[in-house]
Amino acid sequence: MVEWTECERATIKDIFAKLDYDSVGPAALSRCLIVYPWTQRYFGNFGNLYNAAAIMGNPNVAKHGTIILHGLDRGVKNMDNMKDTYAELSVLHSEKLHVDPDNFKLISDCLTIVVASRMGKAFTGEVQAALQKFLAVVVSSLGRQYH
Amino acid sequence: MSLTEKDKAVVKALWAKISTHADAIGGDALGRLLVVYPQTKTYFSHWPDLSPNSPSVKNHGKTIMSGIALAVSTIDDLKSGLQELSEKHAFKLRVDPANFKILSHCILVVLAIMFPKEFTPEAHVAMDKFFCGVSLALAERYR
């Protein structure tokens, strides 16, 4: 079981309370598709992903970025039981979407960088550590049902 | 995933904008590394103070960034340009090369914080590739 300090819990809740989902989600997903272009393999039916400008202007990418970020809400609300919370999504990503779980780390890193750019100086080492720990647990839970 | 001419141009252009702040970037990135990845503290057990604003951390951040500056100036041949540093890391410091990746990540986070407008996705991919190249060159002499 993952142990969370009171400080970590408060930090995570604070980060997500202040997040502009409709901006951060699309920014994180489009950054991932640009910085790690092989991740585009999962979005063949999203239309034009030809270059960075196309990706950043693509409405399907924007919509899906917001969906992904709201998926993290479940983890924020259930920090003490992320394994069960993400079991269904884990099966979906494995059995239906066939996503290589290594990709979860990539989008996780992109999200960290987008959150850092929005929070600026408030994104201290301690805040980064808490967010990265939270995202690592989500990533682990999402990979749990793969076989 | 070698650096294209475009990547090199993007890296040099970004470096031109950020290099005056190199000391601050290095200090923040190293301070952050020690907090976010506590296992890295094992390499600095000889420092009296490992907190983010300590003189040891700030000083060493400068040292790291001067290595990055060297890498930017030898971007066309990182292996030769960083050979001496590679030998130092391999034979003297013996830093596990996995740590190059996490320090690179911390530097990218600092760039996102300090230069949100300039650190576009295009700049990000070029810098990520650059740091991969630097890490590879630094690990060259390990075995």
Side-chain angles (χ1 to χ4, degrees):
Chain A
M1 242 256 313
V2 184
E3 301 277 338
W4 301 98
T5 64
E6 281 315 308
C7 184
E8 283 168 340
R9 286 179 200 274
T11 301
I12 295 304
K13 290 199 157 34
D14 188 59
I15 291 173
F16 281 85
K18 296 188 174 130
L19 224 50
D20 179 356
Y21 283 66
D22 292 328
S23 171
V24 171
L29 179 58
S30 50
R31 195 168 276 255
C32 186
L33 295 171
I34 293 165
V35 179
Y36 308 109
W38 55 93
T39 56
Q40 292 169 25
R41 77 188 301 282
Y42 302 110
F43 301 100
N45 58 345
F46 267 34
N48 187 0
L49 299 179
Y50 191 59
N51 54 34
I55 290 169
M56 290 197 286
N58 187 311
N60 291 319
V61 171
K63 189 166 153 217
H64 201 69
T66 309
I67 289 172
I68 290 172
L69 206 55
H70 280 295
L72 292 178
D73 278 343
R74 302 191 203 190
V76 177
K77 295 191 173 88
N78 294 285
M79 284 173 75
D80 292 311
N81 191 8
M82 293 226 251
K83 192 176 78 178
D84 290 340
T85 300
Y86 284 109
E88 198 188 317
L89 273 174
S90 180
V91 170
L92 176 80
H93 282 75
S94 165
E95 305 302 299
K96 186 155 177 264
L97 304 175
H98 305 296
V99 177
D100 181 341
D102 282 349
N103 291 283
F104 303 150
K105 176 111 190 23
L106 301 181
I107 193 167
S108 196
D109 282 350
C110 286
L111 181 61
T112 301
I113 281 176
V114 173
V115 171
S117 69
R118 300 305 164 92
M119 288 182 69
K121 285 208 159 57
F123 196 68
T124 61
E126 283 78 12
V127 172
Q128 181 180 344
L131 179 62
Q132 289 194 195
K133 180 175 169 180
F134 171 76
L135 291 175
V137 178
V138 174
V139 165
S140 168
S141 311
L142 269 180
R144 215 58 171 60
Q145 305 304 323
Y146 278 66
H147 61 96
Chain B
M1 293 198 254
S2 42
L3 294 167
T4 61
E5 288 313 310
K6 182 174 172 222
D7 292 327
K8 292 179 196 175
V10 171
V11 169
K12 286 184 192 166
L14 187 67
W15 182 254
K17 288 183 191 153
I18 69 179
S19 56
T20 43
H21 304 269
D23 292 352
I25 295 170
D28 190 346
L30 181 59
R32 211 167 267 275
L33 179 80
L34 298 168
V35 166
V36 180
Y37 304 98
Q39 70 272 18
T40 56
K41 292 194 284 190
T42 54
Y43 291 101
F44 304 104
S45 51
H46 54 290
W47 286 352
D49 183 358
L50 288 168
S51 61
N53 287 311
S54 74
S56 315
V57 171
K58 282 187 174 158
N59 237 353
H60 199 65
K62 281 187 206 172
T63 304
I64 290 171
M65 291 312 279
S66 64
I68 300 294
L70 175 63
V72 175
S73 69
T74 56
I75 201 169
D76 289 319
D77 188 352
L78 288 170
K79 203 163 88 171
S80 305
L82 299 179
Q83 184 175 324
E84 211 180 298
L85 272 175
S86 179
E87 283 169 6
K88 186 176 191 176
H89 284 74
F91 305 125
K92 189 164 172 257
L93 304 174
R94 309 228 187 114
V95 175
D96 189 315
N99 293 290
F100 302 153
K101 193 170 193 330
I102 57 182
L103 178 59
S104 299
H105 173 69
C106 287
I107 297 175
L108 293 177
V109 169
V110 171
L111 294 184
I113 290 171
M114 288 177 69
F115 308 96
K117 285 201 170 58
E118 290 88 341
F119 197 59
T120 59
E122 290 97 321
H124 181 167
V125 61
M127 289 306 284
D128 194 53
K129 285 177 76 176
F130 171 63
F131 285 133
C132 284
V134 171
S135 303
L136 207 59
L138 267 182
E140 175 69 21
R141 304 288 293 144
Y142 270 64
R143 55 174 177 174

